[in-house]
């Protein structure tokens, strides 16, 4: 069986081998620091005792470089997806809280979907801004599409109605579901704080009647 040529002590190639090993250490140090574009490019003759190691080291660094490129591509795709999701969420928030002027001076906010504290704060801000900009004297917040709210969201709903009154407009809340009503009662809610009607039709009748009286 043939043996792979080696380097025995005192061999004149020993200094050459040491220099090659030093080069290899530098390449590995660069790769360890993240410079995966480095390669051990030292040209070695066929049958050289380090030629196989050179190929293995370069193949390993190349594999690491490929894996890093894949990881970076994956991170980029994830970031793009996150940005897309956030844009979709923003679009859904806008669609789910439209400001509709159903009558002269009467604004309607039909709210659908999940009503958490963050979205409630957004609704309150948009509501007050619309009331001020359009000089509305009546506001209807229709929560028919909301089946449940957390405690903070309910607090924002009550605060929104109070803030609308401070702006000189009447706020009517319609479509409160049984679960929402139960949650309000558990909060020791004072019913007089909210002007409620069963549905949008009854709210409009109430507003039209009050306008005729005025």
């Amino acid at each position: 069986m043939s043996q792979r040529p080696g380097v025995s002590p005192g061999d004149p190639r020993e200094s050459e081998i040491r220099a090659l090993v030093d080069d290899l250490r530098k390449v590995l140090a660069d790769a360890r620091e993240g410079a995966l574009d480095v390669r051990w490019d030292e040209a070695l003759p066929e049958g050289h005792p380090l030629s196989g190691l050179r190929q293995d080291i370069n193949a390993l660094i190349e594999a690491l470089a490929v894996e890093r490129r894949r990881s970076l591509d994956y991170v980029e795709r994830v970031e793009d997806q996150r940005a897309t999701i956030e844009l979709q969420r923003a679009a859904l928030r806008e669609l789910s809280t439209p400001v509709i002027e159903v009558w002269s001076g009467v604004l309607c906010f039909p709210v659908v979907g999940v009503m958490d504290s963050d979205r409630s704060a957004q609704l309150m801000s948009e509501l007050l801004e619309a009331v001020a900009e359009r000089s509305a004297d009546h506001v209807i917040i229709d929560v028919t599409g909301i089946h449940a709210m957390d405690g903070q969201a309910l607090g924002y709903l009550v605060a929104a109605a109070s803030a609308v009154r401070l702006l000189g407009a009447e706020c009517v809340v319609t479509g409160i579901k049984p679960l929402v009503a139960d949650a309000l009662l558990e909060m020791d809610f004072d019913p007089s704080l909210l002007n409620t009607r069963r549905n949008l039709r009854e709210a409009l009748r109430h507003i039209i009647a009050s306008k005729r009286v005025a």
Side-chain angles (χ1 to χ4, degrees), residues 78-96:
V78 170
E79 292 299 325
D80 289 342
Q81 290 174 353
R82 287 179 178 174
T84 300
I85 290 172
E86 185 55 38
L87 288 174
Q88 291 173 342
R89 286 177 176 172
L92 287 174
R93 284 195 296 266
E94 291 180 1
L95 289 174
S96 59

Side-chain angles (χ1 to χ4, degrees), residues 93-137:
R93 284 195 296 266
E94 291 180 1
L95 289 174
S96 59
T97 54
V99 182
I100 304 171
E101 188 167 7
V102 294
W103 198 274
S104 178
V106 181
L107 301 181
C108 180
F109 284 70
V111 185
V112 297
V114 178
M115 194 71 170
D116 55 17
S117 55
D118 290 339
R119 186 156 173 244
S120 299
Q122 178 197 2
L123 170 64
M124 182 173 178
S125 175
E126 293 177 355
L127 172 63
L128 298 181
E129 183 178 350
V131 171
E133 287 182 354
R134 305 189 188 189
S135 301
D137 48 30

Side-chain angles (χ1 to χ4, degrees), residues 10-26:
D11 191 303
R13 289 186 298 172
E14 182 178 357
S15 60
E16 175 196 354
I17 297 297
R18 290 182 181 276
L20 290 173
V21 171
D22 288 341
D23 289 341
L24 170 60
R25 286 175 175 169
K26 291 179 182 178

Side-chain angles (χ1 to χ4, degrees), residues 124-170:
M124 182 173 178
S125 175
E126 293 177 355
L127 172 63
L128 298 181
E129 183 178 350
V131 171
E133 287 182 354
R134 305 189 188 189
S135 301
D137 48 30
H138 291 84
V139 175
I140 302 172
I141 302 178
D142 182 52
V143 295
T144 304
I146 301 294
H147 295 276
M149 299 183 188
D150 60 25
Q152 284 185 305
L154 289 169
Y156 272 117
L157 179 63
V158 176
S162 300
V164 168
R165 286 197 297 270
L166 289 175
L167 293 178
E170 179 186 11

